[in-house]
Amino acid sequence: MSLLQLFSKIRPYVRPYRGLVVFALVLTLLGSLTAQVNAWVLRYTVDSINGLVEHHQGMKAGWTILLTITGILVGKEILNVVIQFGQKFYGEKLRIYISRDLAQAVVGRILTYRLAFFSSGGNQPGMIQTRIDRGVESITRMVQNFFIDILPLFANAVVALAMMFNANFYVGLTGFAIVPVYYAVSRNQAIRLAGSRRVIRSLRERKSQGILSILESIPVIKSFLREDVEAEKQLGLQVDLTSAQMAIRRMSFLYDGMKNFIEQMGVVAIIILTTYFVLHGQMTIGAIMFHILLLNNVTAPIRQLHVIYDQLNDALIYSEGFFDILQADHEVESSGRYNPEAVRGEFAIRNLRFTYPGNAKPTLTDITMTIGPGEVTALVGLSGAGKSTLINLLDKFYQPDSGDILLDGVSLQEWDTEAVRRNIGLVLQKNHIFNGTIEENIRYGKPNATMDEVVQAARKSYLHDQVAELPDGYATSALALSGGQQQKIAIARLFLKNPPIIFLDEPTASLDAVSTEQIKNSLDAIKQNRTVVIISHSISQIIDADCIYVLKNGRLVEHGTHQQVYNASGTYKEIFDASARSLNIAKIAETLEAGNDAAV
């Protein structure tokens, strides 16, 4: 990304605060003028005192000079305090406002992206977070420093250089000659460092993702005694990051020495040239100090050029990743306009094929099925058969490669995405619990629900009695609950939302036997007159389904009622028999029979 491209991208975020920008420019102009006062005062002072000395006049005659320069310098410093405060305060205000707008814009944007964006390579949560944080930080720091440091320095340099030319063309030309040489060296430095900075950006993203992965996997790491292995991985990344940082520092120090030499040679040239003019009577002694101070104002931005380049390069490099996220227009979820008042809940899937982003092999191939309205449809298959993927497609989380999905006879592509999801309740094997109270997490299913509705939903999911025993009740942090209790929160959300279509993906996988029976009874009640699609490895969850579809390696191999697909003696029978054996049904039946005999 070039500097002009970056400016064009951040312009919409700066435009609302153009009043602040204009005010900052006015302060910059005033500051650039006051910055030259010292040079004028010093020349006036030296020449005036030199004249008094030549005329053998003492302190009595010098009081006027002292009072004059004191008034000018004190007044200038008071004005500078006001100017610098305004520059820093309003520059910081501009940075904070733009930082807020950029951060909110990117958060709002990624919420509109399809799931494929987050599952594609390089878009893991840790990497995305690093790109956003570093992008916002570097861009807003550049904007702030532009008004606080860069603009005032260059304004001072231009004014000082104009004064040098006005005082003596040759001295001004000497001062001006330093600028392109210094700029060329600094630009070459920036170009050579750009590649290393991109390497550092990539390493930082990988390191952030690695740390996030460790934090999420601590129980597994400890159970397998892999602490040393994970530490070694992070050490490798840290060593590479350190090497890249040292390479940048080494190159920066080399170029800094070159630039310091160029600057000092400019000072030497000014001293020699002004001394020459003084000796020839073309300048006063005060003019020597006048030009040296003006040269200092000219070289001040040059001395800071490497810092400015560092900031600009950081902004350019990190803004690439940031704006890749912010402006990924092709990742925005597609949405149609069809939005009926009522939904029957009939799905018709025709010749469906789907491949996850980055995968070579399709997950689903040639899937054709019908999910009847008001019926319970079970999806059965071994792990990896494509069952959860099919639910993701029905919920418009992904778009199929080919084929079509119809809801109530209308293609999902034509449906308004919000309308689809508003009418679907989804309970996953592992549901996300937000950082908040139990009440807030249940209310997520219906934000405007009353407390009575929240409690009723908790009762239906058999969570209320457990919550009532907690000291803070529904105000307890939901993250403090067990995995099974958190699953009940997810099911309570479903009851609260009360949708006409329900997708259940292993809804009782993390529950104990008693809770599983309780939830099954609740789900059996809510299933009435609704379209239900359920995925479960539990026989009790699927055996009563109106229709069972069996998937194997991404293909539909069997379908029908339980008895029909079981009698087909295929994949379903293998899964059912294996489940029965794993439950040791023969022993359970023997135990139950013995218990009944004892009761008699």
Side-chain angles (χ1 to χ4, degrees):
M1 183 179 296
S2 69
L3 192 59
L4 288 178
Q5 288 175 324
L6 176 58
F7 284 157
S8 68
K9 288 180 181 295
I10 64 175
R11 187 184 298 121
Y13 301 96
V14 178
R15 188 179 296 117
Y17 311 110
R18 49 184 173 270
L20 284 177
V21 173
V22 172
F23 187 62
L25 292 175
V26 172
L27 291 176
T28 297
L29 177 60
L30 292 175
S32 65
L33 294 174
T34 59
Q36 319 308 322
V37 170
N38 283 356
W40 286 95
V41 169
L42 186 58
R43 183 173 70 170
Y44 166 77
T45 303
V46 171
D47 290 342
S48 298
I49 292 176
N50 184 58
L52 292 177
V53 172
E54 288 178 352
H55 291 85
H56 305 288
Q57 293 177 306
M59 191 64 190
K60 186 176 180 180
W63 274 110
T64 303
I65 298 173
L66 286 174
L67 292 173
T68 301
I69 62 175
T70 299
I72 293 174
L73 292 177
V74 171
K76 184 211 71 167
E77 292 304 325
I78 293 174
L79 184 59
N80 265 348
V81 168
V82 176
I83 292 173
Q84 289 177 8
F85 171 81
Q87 286 178 321
K88 291 179 180 179
F89 176 78
Y90 289 106
E92 179 69 7
K93 185 176 182 179
L94 187 63
R95 184 195 68 81
I96 292 173
Y97 283 5
I98 294 175
S99 176
R100 176 197 63 188
D101 293 349
L102 283 171
Q104 188 59 34
V106 75
V107 168
R109 190 65 170 168
I110 61 177
L111 287 172
T112 67
Y113 291 163
R114 55 198 178 102
L115 281 184
F117 172 80
F118 304 98
S119 59
S120 58
N123 287 331
Q124 291 83 358
M127 292 186 175
I128 289 179
Q129 182 179 355
T130 300
R131 289 178 200 166
I132 292 174
D133 290 344
R134 301 289 293 190
V136 171
E137 177 189 356
S138 60
I139 292 170
T140 54
R141 187 175 63 242
M142 183 200 70
V143 172
Q144 177 194 30
N145 290 342
F146 178 78
F147 291 103
I148 293 178
D149 296 325
I150 301 175
L151 193 60
L153 282 173
F154 278 91
N156 293 348
V158 171
V159 173
L161 197 59
M163 290 182 176
M164 289 179 72
F165 272 106
N166 183 64
N168 186 285
F169 175 80
Y170 296 102
V171 176
L173 189 62
T174 303
F176 178 75
I178 301 172
V179 176
V181 178
Y182 205 105
Y183 171 78
V185 173
S186 296
R187 186 172 184 276
N188 185 260
Q189 176 186 9
I191 292 172
R192 295 192 61 180
L193 291 179
S196 298
R197 292 184 185 281
R198 285 189 174 87
V199 170
I200 288 178
R201 185 192 76 176
S202 175
L203 289 171
R204 281 174 173 161
E205 290 177 358
R206 289 166 57 192
K207 183 173 176 60
S208 295
Q209 180 61 31
I211 292 174
L212 183 62
S213 177
I214 287 175
L215 295 176
E216 292 176 343
S217 310
I218 283 291
V220 178
I221 293 171
K222 288 187 173 296
S223 67
F224 284 93
L225 302 176
R226 289 295 181 267
E227 292 92 339
D228 292 342
V229 174
E230 295 299 328
E232 192 67 27
K233 289 180 182 177
Q234 286 300 302
L235 178 60
L237 286 174
Q238 191 62 59
V239 168
D240 292 341
L241 181 59
T242 301
S243 299
Q245 289 172 325
M246 289 304 300
I248 284 182
R249 290 298 94 201
R250 184 168 53 250
M251 192 177 300
S252 294
F253 293 148
L254 176 62
Y255 275 96
D256 289 348
M258 294 170 58
K259 291 184 290 187
N260 185 63
F261 176 78
I262 294 169
E263 179 189 350
Q264 294 307 314
M265 286 300 98
V267 173
V268 170
I270 292 294
I271 292 175
I272 293 173
L273 190 58
T274 52
T275 302
Y276 171 83
F277 285 125
V278 169
L279 293 175
H280 279 74
Q282 299 179 24
M283 281 187 184
T284 62
I285 295 176
I288 297 178
M289 301 304 297
F290 174 71
H291 285 291
I292 290 176
L293 285 182
L294 288 179
L295 179 64
N296 183 67
N297 287 341
V298 172
T299 57
I302 297 178
R303 285 196 300 272
Q304 297 297 317
L305 205 55
H306 69 285
V307 177
I308 294 169
Y309 259 114
D310 283 349
Q311 294 173 352
L312 289 178
N313 276 313
D314 274 350
L316 291 173
I317 290 169
Y318 286 108
S319 65
E320 290 176 0
F322 176 81
F323 282 109
D324 282 346
I325 296 174
L326 183 62
Q327 298 178 337
D329 296 335
H330 60 287
E331 298 290 355
V332 176
E333 283 190 309
S334 61
S335 181
R337 297 184 177 181
Y338 185 68
N339 187 1
E341 293 183 2
V343 176
R344 293 175 54 243
E346 179 182 21
F347 286 96
I349 303 170
R350 300 289 179 262
N351 304 316
L352 190 70
R353 179 186 176 90
F354 174 74
T355 307
Y356 279 106
N359 288 3
K361 184 179 178 182
T363 304
L364 294 173
T365 303
D366 196 26
I367 301 295
T368 297
M369 65 172 67
T370 299
I371 297 173
E375 296 182 355
V376 177
T377 301
L379 302 180
V380 179
L382 299 176
S383 298
K387 306 182 296 297
S388 297
T389 299
L390 187 55
I391 282 184
N392 285 335
L393 290 167
L394 294 177
D395 217 347
K396 287 196 75 175
F397 288 149
Y398 294 92
Q399 300 297 329
D401 301 339
S402 60
D404 201 3
I405 301 174
L406 307 179
L407 174 56
D408 292 348
V410 179
S411 173
L412 275 185
Q413 300 289 339
E414 300 177 22
W415 273 79
D416 177 78
T417 301
E418 289 188 9
V420 172
R421 294 175 187 165
R422 187 169 55 248
N423 287 284
I424 292 176
L426 180 63
V427 177
L428 303 174
Q429 181 176 352
K430 184 179 180 181
N431 288 277
H432 183 77
I433 299 300
F434 296 92
N435 184 17
T437 66
I438 296 173
E439 177 190 347
E440 290 169 344
N441 271 270
I442 295 177
R443 200 187 295 275
Y444 208 78
K446 183 181 177 183
N448 60 347
T450 65
M451 190 62 200
D452 286 342
E453 290 176 314
V454 171
V455 171
Q456 287 303 314
R459 288 184 186 278
K460 292 177 180 178
S461 65
Y462 292 89
L463 178 65
H464 175 73
D465 290 343
Q466 293 172 310
V467 173
E469 295 176 357
L470 298 173
D472 296 326
Y474 285 89
T476 303
S477 171
L479 296 176
L481 301 182
S482 68
Q485 290 171 326
Q486 291 181 357
Q487 185 72 347
K488 289 181 180 181
I489 287 179
I491 295 172
R493 290 176 190 160
L494 176 66
F495 285 116
L496 198 58
K497 186 176 183 180
N498 196 27
I501 303 171
I502 299 174
F503 295 157
L504 305 172
D505 191 348
E506 294 287 356
T508 59
S510 59
L511 300 179
D512 56 68
V514 174
S515 295
T516 297
E517 183 182 16
Q518 293 172 340
I519 294 301
K520 182 180 182 300
N521 293 335
S522 294
L523 291 178
D524 286 344
I526 200 175
K527 286 176 184 177
Q528 301 301 317
N529 301 317
R530 300 175 198 271
T531 299
V532 179
V533 179
I534 183 169
I535 297 172
S536 179
H537 291 103
S538 172
I539 296 174
S540 63
Q541 295 285 334
I542 61 176
I543 196 170
D544 294 328
D546 296 300
C547 185
I548 297 173
Y549 286 96
V550 185
L551 297 172
K552 184 176 182 180
N553 297 325
R555 293 180 179 273
L556 180 62
V557 292
E558 300 163 11
H559 73 279
T561 63
H562 161 71
Q563 203 61 50
Q564 288 172 338
V565 290
Y566 184 82
N567 292 339
S569 300
T571 301
Y572 180 77
K573 185 177 186 303
E574 292 177 7
I575 295 173
F576 186 89
D577 290 347
S579 298
R581 289 192 298 271
S582 69
L583 290 173
N584 203 352
I585 286 182
K587 185 68 174 179
I588 293 173
E590 180 182 331
T591 302
L592 291 174
E593 183 178 348
N596 291 332
D597 291 342
V600 172

